[in-house]
Amino acid sequence: MTSHKPARALIFDMDGTIVDNMRFHDDAWESWHVSNKLPFDRSTFAARTAGMAGNEIISSYFPEAAVAELDAMSDAKEALYREAYLPHVTATPGFLDLIARAEAAGVPMAVGTAAPPANIEVVLDTLGLRQRFATIVSPSQGFRGKPHPDMFLAAAERMKVDPADCIVFEDAPLGVEAARRAGMRAVALLTMLGPEGFAGYDNLIASARDFTALDGLPALRFS
């Protein structure tokens, strides 16, 4: 992939990317595991599961459970997360400046997130961002979670942009893999993992702790 080619569209993961909130998800998942008498390895859990839908994660523990039961357990975990995170919602440094530059250049943007609608509301509506995206794609619309490329491909289709002209911003290896399968370049936000967590992805064009370090990236010189 040509790393310096200017992007014609941007696709953002939400948790750990637009906002640096994964520790709140970890707290909620730890509580959920404890309440269900399941072991929890905080050091590896997020890296293994970030980008998957909650019911996909839970089904690995309860493969015989009905869909409604999986959804109910996922909802209980997400309620714990929302209660804890809502007072702390803040955009990742540099994010608002980047999307302002994209808007000024007429570059469409989308969100592709595994989060359920209530979690999307907590972030995008609290920050007043929903109307700034051309589309928001999530498993609640029938798409598979990451590493499947479904959500990113749907976002590109809705924005009427070729996948190769999109850049995906992700904090998780499963998300970068989803972008690779979609034929898209990716930028890794190191809010959860260090650079070593993304080794081997040939679609990765940059990694940074936040968006402020990406100002000089040639692919984001939209003009």
Side-chain angles (χ1 to χ4, degrees), residues 1-12:
M1 296 183 179
T2 305
S3 63
H4 62 269
K5 180 182 178 183
R8 293 189 57 232
L10 307 180
I11 304 175
F12 296 92

Side-chain angles (χ1 to χ4, degrees), residues 31-221:
S31 295
W32 181 87
H33 279 73
V34 169
S35 67
N36 284 278
K37 298 180 173 56
L38 294 168
F40 183 73
D41 185 350
R42 192 181 183 103
S43 66
T44 63
F45 181 80
R48 289 188 293 104
T49 63
M52 297 172 64
N55 54 9
E56 292 176 329
I57 296 170
I58 293 170
S59 68
S60 67
Y61 298 107
F62 301 99
E64 304 302 320
V67 171
E69 186 179 0
L70 294 173
D71 288 344
M73 287 189 281
S74 180
D75 289 346
K77 175 266 164 183
E78 299 302 344
L80 292 173
Y81 153 76
R82 288 192 297 271
E83 181 179 8
Y85 183 56
L86 184 57
H88 304 280
V89 181
T90 307
T92 301
F95 172 75
L96 297 178
D97 289 339
L98 173 58
I99 66 171
R101 288 201 299 112
E103 286 173 329
V107 174
M109 297 174 290
V111 173
T113 176
N119 291 17
I120 294 172
E121 179 179 336
V122 163
V123 172
L124 298 189
D125 294 342
T126 298
L127 295 174
L129 294 174
R130 187 181 293 268
Q131 300 306 315
R132 300 179 74 172
F133 296 104
T135 188
I136 299 166
V137 188
S138 70
S140 66
Q141 300 165 18
F143 298 103
R144 294 178 297 177
K146 305 159 191 176
H148 300 291
D150 308 26
M151 290 191 287
F152 293 156
L153 290 172
E157 181 178 6
R158 292 177 184 182
M159 292 187 289
K160 298 180 172 58
V161 178
D162 190 276
D165 290 325
C166 297
I167 290 181
V168 171
F169 296 85
E170 268 285 353
D171 71 312
L174 291 181
V176 174
E177 172 63 14
R180 188 193 67 79
R181 295 184 189 184
M184 298 177 179
R185 293 171 288 171
V187 172
L189 273 294
L190 306 179
T191 56
M192 179 175 64
L193 299 173
E196 67 281 356
F198 299 92
Y201 289 102
D202 60 3
N203 63 323
L204 193 69
I205 62 171
S207 59
R209 180 63 182 82
D210 58 39
F211 292 93
T212 61
L214 301 174
D215 289 348
L217 193 66
L220 300 181
R221 295 172 185 165

